[in-house]
Amino acid sequence: ASAADWQQRSIYQLVTDRFATTNGSYPSCDTEDRVYCGGTWQGVIRQLDYIQNMGFDAIWISPIVANLEGSTGDGESYHGYWTVDQNSLNSHFGNESDLLELSSQLHSRGMYLMLDVVVNHMAADTLPPDYVLFAPFNAESDFHTFCWITNYNNQTNVEQCWLGDDNVPLADCDTESDYVIDFFYKWIGDLVANYSADGLRIDTVKHVRSDFWPGFAEAAGVFTIGEVLDGDVDYVSTYTEVLDAVLDYPTYYQLFYAFESTSGSLSNLVSWVQQSQSTYKNGEFMTGSFLENQDNPRFQSVQTDQALVSNAISWPFIQDGIPILYYGQEQGYTGSNDPYNREALWLSGYVEDKPLVKLVRTLNAARKAAIAASSDYLSTVLTFPSVTSSTLAVYKQPMLALLTNGGSSSTPSWSVSSTDYSNGEELINVLTCDTLTAGSNGAVSVTGSEGMPQILLPTSVFNVTYCNELL
Ligand code: ABC
Ligand code: CA
């Protein structure tokens, strides 16, 4: 699928080992142990209804290839990022036919499959690595000369030295070598074709020279979104030239800071978004927007006020890019840094009758309704018609989202003096199904309650009956 196809989608990111088991059992899983807990591709198939019922139409799963076996000082390779054999599958997650079945089951539901791929490195449990254990790169000469990354301000150091640590050094592939380049370009085309993948999440993008990526993306032939783990807009911006999209890390940090406390800065969030809109190749449209992922503390590990949580969760669904929700967020998981943010989802029982699960379902439905109602929605740039120290209006016709970081003991109010709504047009807050009316010039003035956000759409786009069904 193309970038334009993905722009309409909403992605559920899951850690394969932690999402669901083949037989539906609920084995114990202590994140601190850093061991395989038993999640599989068959397990994902078993729980596709759960994902689809929330309105997601794409999933991003953990890397699929064979990883380092056994225990290391950093635990086991349950996350899938420690490749040892590019040409085999990770048998902990299932076999070839299981993965093919997952792909076809997704497609028969009209959903997309996003694979996570790592080309920057391969993983060892000794230093120096025993290179013969790797496939196909089984010689020291296929890798950059060993050095740890020590200086993130030196791009050569970032690209050619190694990630990892003494327990698990990540041998840095020589992505300047023709042999390595040719292998990876062919490999990615085959991988996409074999599993009918619709898109790729590419790991460690800033650790490989930029001009490696266009050829790789072309060989893949599907949508590519890169992980450039950096909070700096100008730095991340350069990678928007070489891949379809980037994970929106700069905005992620500002989103987190804005809502993690009642003194967070909403104007910084606005300013980072505006910088990205004007700096990235396709503005913010070709970004993946997220509040949580496998590398960062969950939001509720620092803030559990449900009003702040609801505001923060809403953001990815109302901005210019592609929403991504990290599994477990909808169940209110509170894990902090890696490895604590990789809880087994089965321990939640996949309960759907929960406030955050319903919130996510409504947010997906609201975004879909806005896209369906306006052919310009996906090319209209978000604006911020009102910003105060504790309230923020985020507007993109036909959606007006009113956010606040005042917290659950606050009574927020928003006043937007003009929009494209017509005078007297009836609007609905999709989170409560309460209605209100736009004034002259489409003005909207509203008082909220208990610090909750309001997501407004015309009732002609999202009617009261539909709203009540989702509640
Ligand atoms: C394991 C243990 C950890 C232990 C670690 C040393 O080893 O589990 O407890 O602390 C995989 C596994 C991890 C595992 C690692 C290493 O491998 O999932 O559990 O950690 O063995 C990607 C994936 C990630 C994956 C890998 C490796 C890469 O998303 O899940 O990890 O394939 C760097 C990379 C980034 C990478 C991330 C983990 O490390 O760039 O691609 N993620 C700065 C740097 C970043 C750096 C980040 C974290 O620190 O600039 O490049 O990310 O080390 C902002 C700044 C940023 C700054 C952040 C922290 O603050 O703007 O620049 O990031 O304000
Ligand atoms: Ca590298």
Side-chain angles (χ1 to χ4, degrees), residues 147-195:
C147 50
W148 293 124
I149 295 176
T150 50
N151 181 4
Y152 271 100
N153 297 316
N154 176 335
Q155 188 58 27
T156 307
N157 183 267
V158 169
E159 289 174 9
Q160 303 194 1
C161 290
W162 296 21
L163 284 165
D165 56 22
D166 288 316
N167 296 322
V168 182
L170 299 178
D172 202 70
C173 297
D174 182 3
T175 44
E176 282 73 23
S177 133
D178 285 336
Y179 169 62
V180 171
I181 297 167
D182 291 349
F183 172 80
F184 274 132
Y185 286 10
K186 171 150 189 352
W187 173 82
I188 196 61
D190 290 347
L191 199 76
V192 166
N194 284 347
Y195 301 107

Side-chain angles (χ1 to χ4, degrees), residues 43-101:
V44 180
I45 294 171
R46 180 183 272 275
Q47 291 295 344
L48 284 179
D49 281 346
Y50 172 79
I51 298 173
Q52 200 173 22
N53 286 346
M54 281 184 283
F56 293 101
D57 45 18
I59 64 168
W60 149 16
I61 63 175
S62 303
I64 62 171
V65 298
N67 270 225
L68 198 58
E69 282 301 324
S71 187
T72 74
D74 290 336
E76 297 179 359
S77 59
Y78 68 93
H79 42 71
Y81 291 97
W82 292 344
T83 310
V84 293
D85 182 352
Q86 305 284 359
N87 293 317
S88 307
L89 293 176
N90 186 330
S91 59
H92 294 272
F93 302 154
N95 60 29
E96 169 109 21
S97 72
D98 296 323
L99 186 54
L100 288 170
E101 188 183 338

Side-chain angles (χ1 to χ4, degrees), residues 233 248 251 254 266-280 283-284 315 320 381-387 392-393:
V233 172
D248 199 358
T251 300
Q254 300 310 318
L266 297 171
S267 58
N268 280 356
L269 172 60
V270 169
S271 125
W272 255 256
V273 169
Q274 289 175 334
Q275 270 183 65
S276 312
Q277 286 174 329
S278 63
T279 314
Y280 293 172
E284 285 271 82
W315 173 265
D320 287 338
V381 174
L382 202 69
T383 59
F384 301 96
S386 156
V387 188
L392 174 62

Side-chain angles (χ1 to χ4, degrees), residues 26-53:
Y26 292 3
S28 65
C29 180
D30 187 342
T31 50
E32 195 161 34
D33 296 342
R34 309 184 197 205
V35 296
Y36 280 97
C37 286
T40 61
W41 297 316
Q42 282 294 341
V44 180
I45 294 171
R46 180 183 272 275
Q47 291 295 344
L48 284 179
D49 281 346
Y50 172 79
I51 298 173
Q52 200 173 22
N53 286 346

Side-chain angles (χ1 to χ4, degrees), residues 34 82 121 201 203 206-207 227 231 294-295 338 342:
R34 309 184 197 205
W82 292 344
H121 51 258
R201 179 269 190 190
D203 193 63
K206 74 184 202 184
H207 298 282
E227 181 223 16
Q294 80 282 17
D295 291 342
D338 170 12
R342 298 153 180 206

